[in-house]
Amino acid sequence: MADGTQGKEAGTNPRGIPFAPFVDKVEDYVSSRAEVDGTMKSFQEMISKYQFMEVNTQRRSAGLKDKIPDIQKTLDTVKFLKSREPGSDPLEATFELNDTLYAKAHVPYTDEVYLWLGANVMLAYPISEAETLLEGKLDAAKSNLANCEEDLDFLREQITTLEVATARVYNWDVTQKRKDKAEHSDHEDVDEKKIAPNG
């Protein structure tokens, strides 16, 4: 919680997303009706930016949700290969070549594995190094996913705050229009009474 408090004092969350302004008193943001349009436009732009960040964060979160099970499955396989004894019989395995295409293989005891690192790069690692690497990647992916979920909640909260602020400014403007109209009609009534002859 200390991180969140520190972020709030700085005006951002722990990953640098700024807090939306909270409009408690509309008069702090607009002093006349002439400023209402600019303020409303500014709030709408901020809402658009938060929505853009929300979409990107949702995409990143979805990618991590797809990636984490794959990393976990690979880590489980590496741990299984690590648990095998030297000189044990070859293991018959079925592995996926494509979404609908599988092949059988005989896997002898091995002390190294080949891992896809991305961008068509595959490297050989000793099993213990591969396990350490995959555990690190899994921890990082889970941490990033938790950050994404936290950011999504934060962004939704900021969007709601700005929508409320927009509504408050709009309602203030409507109230001011009514007051102006009432004052204007009161002045017309007074002017008409001055002009009307006494009968």
Side-chain angles (χ1 to χ4, degrees):
M1 288 311 258
D3 291 343
T5 307
Q6 186 179 17
K8 196 160 196 163
E9 290 170 7
T12 63
N13 80 343
R15 278 154 303 284
I17 301 172
F19 280 88
F22 179 76
V23 177
D24 190 26
K25 294 171 75 176
V26 175
E27 292 81 11
D28 294 343
Y29 287 87
V30 287
S31 54
S32 70
R33 288 190 46 225
E35 297 175 7
V36 168
D37 287 339
T39 303
M40 298 276 278
K41 187 176 181 182
S42 170
F43 286 169
Q44 288 302 321
E45 286 174 4
M46 284 191 272
I47 288 172
S48 295
K49 289 176 184 177
Y50 281 124
Q51 288 172 335
F52 177 75
M53 287 186 269
E54 182 182 29
V55 167
N56 286 336
T57 305
Q58 285 171 339
R59 242 185 251 137
R60 194 167 65 243
S61 175
L64 288 167
K65 286 177 182 176
D66 287 343
K67 191 184 288 187
I68 288 173
D70 289 342
I71 296 171
Q72 184 65 57
K73 189 166 57 169
T74 304
L75 179 60
D76 291 343
T77 303
V78 168
K79 285 180 177 179
F80 172 74
L81 290 174
K82 185 178 179 181
S83 70
R84 295 188 67 213
E85 298 289 326
S88 59
D89 292 335
L91 175 71
E92 186 176 311
T94 303
F95 62 96
E96 184 178 3
L97 292 174
N98 201 340
D99 288 340
T100 59
L101 182 62
Y102 292 84
K104 285 189 178 182
H106 292 280
V107 182
Y109 169 80
T110 182
D111 59 354
E112 71 177 6
V113 293
Y114 293 83
L115 298 177
W116 284 109
L117 298 181
N120 294 328
V121 175
M122 178 184 272
L123 287 179
Y125 285 93
I127 286 186
S128 58
E129 283 183 33
E131 183 178 17
T132 304
L133 174 74
L134 289 168
E135 284 172 346
K137 284 186 174 279
L138 184 62
D139 290 343
K142 286 179 178 177
S143 174
N144 288 339
L145 181 60
N147 289 342
C148 283
E149 297 297 330
E150 184 180 316
D151 286 349
L152 283 171
D153 290 341
F154 178 80
L155 288 165
R156 288 184 195 112
E157 184 179 307
Q158 302 317 300
I159 290 169
T160 301
T161 299
L162 279 169
E163 287 171 345
V164 169
T166 302
R168 285 183 175 176
V169 171
Y170 177 79
N171 290 341
W172 180 86
D173 186 40
V174 169
T175 304
Q176 294 304 313
K177 282 180 186 175
R178 286 182 184 158
K179 283 181 183 176
D180 291 350
K181 188 175 180 180
E183 287 175 10
H184 184 67
S185 67
D186 287 346
H187 289 297
E188 284 181 2
D189 289 345
V190 169
D191 290 343
E192 285 177 13
K193 286 179 182 176
K194 286 181 183 177
I195 296 172
N198 288 339

